[in-house]
């Protein structure tokens, strides 16, 4: 089982865990094979990460536990700021994009200051 950013999800991948929105409503059951439409729907609901079936040893993103912690912190902070509009798919997409932008800025800052990212 591998946790990946939704941005890295591809049609044909199989969910290892069910996916819920911020209100804990079930969006997709486990063992569902992803389609482009599923992925777009998850983005619209503000889903940032999913669990897919596969071998963690082959995962490229496994090398950055601090990255995962940072992303969880970003998502948590944005979730608090966007809490009053959590049911609006457009606002959830804005929140997801803002999280991606913040993460890129932090990674760029770390690279400029020589801070390890993992």
């Amino acid at each position: 089982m591998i946790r990946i950013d939704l941005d890295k999800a591809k049609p044909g991948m199989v969910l290892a865990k069910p996916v819920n929105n911020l209100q804990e409503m079930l969006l997709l059951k486990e063992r569902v094979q992803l389609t482009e439409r599923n992925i777009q729907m998850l983005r619209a609901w503000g889903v940032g990460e999913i669990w897919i079936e596969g071998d963690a040893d082959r995962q490229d993103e496994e090398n950055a536990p601090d990255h995962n912690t940072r992303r969880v912190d970003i998502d948590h902070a944005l979730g608090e700021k966007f809490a009053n509009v959590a049911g609006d798919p457009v606002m959830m997409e804005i929140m997801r994009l803002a999280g991606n932008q913040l993460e890129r800025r932090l990674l760029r800052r770390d690279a400029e200051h020589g801070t390890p990212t993992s």
Side-chain angles (χ1 to χ4, degrees):
M1 184 171 9
I2 305 168
R3 183 174 63 186
I4 64 167
D5 287 338
L6 187 61
D7 291 339
K8 297 192 180 351
K10 306 268 188 258
M13 291 180 168
V14 178
L15 291 174
K17 291 185 175 183
V19 181
N20 298 315
N21 67 9
L22 293 173
Q23 293 80 30
E24 297 302 318
M25 182 177 83
L26 179 65
L27 299 175
L28 292 173
K29 296 179 183 179
E30 65 184 277
R31 289 186 280 239
V32 167
Q33 186 171 5
L34 290 176
T35 65
E36 189 60 43
R37 187 173 180 180
N38 294 137
I39 295 167
Q40 291 301 322
M41 182 263 305
L42 293 175
R43 273 194 192 102
W45 278 102
V47 173
E49 296 178 335
I50 58 172
W51 289 90
I52 60 167
E53 293 186 357
D55 185 0
D57 292 336
R58 296 186 324 176
Q59 181 188 17
D60 293 337
E61 298 298 316
E62 181 87 342
N63 63 351
D66 288 336
H67 163 77
N68 291 336
T69 301
R70 175 182 290 160
R71 185 59 200 219
V72 168
D73 291 343
I74 289 170
D75 290 343
H76 178 72
L78 287 172
E80 290 179 357
K81 293 202 180 290
F82 282 78
N84 60 337
V85 293
D88 184 338
V90 172
M91 294 305 292
M92 292 297 91
E93 179 65 4
I94 291 170
M95 182 179 84
R96 184 186 70 78
L97 294 170
N100 290 347
Q101 183 65 29
L102 286 170
E103 186 175 25
R104 279 193 295 273
R105 284 184 185 173
L106 291 172
L107 289 171
R108 210 173 20 247
R109 185 198 66 193
D110 290 348
E112 291 171 358
H113 293 100
T115 308
T117 57
S118 59

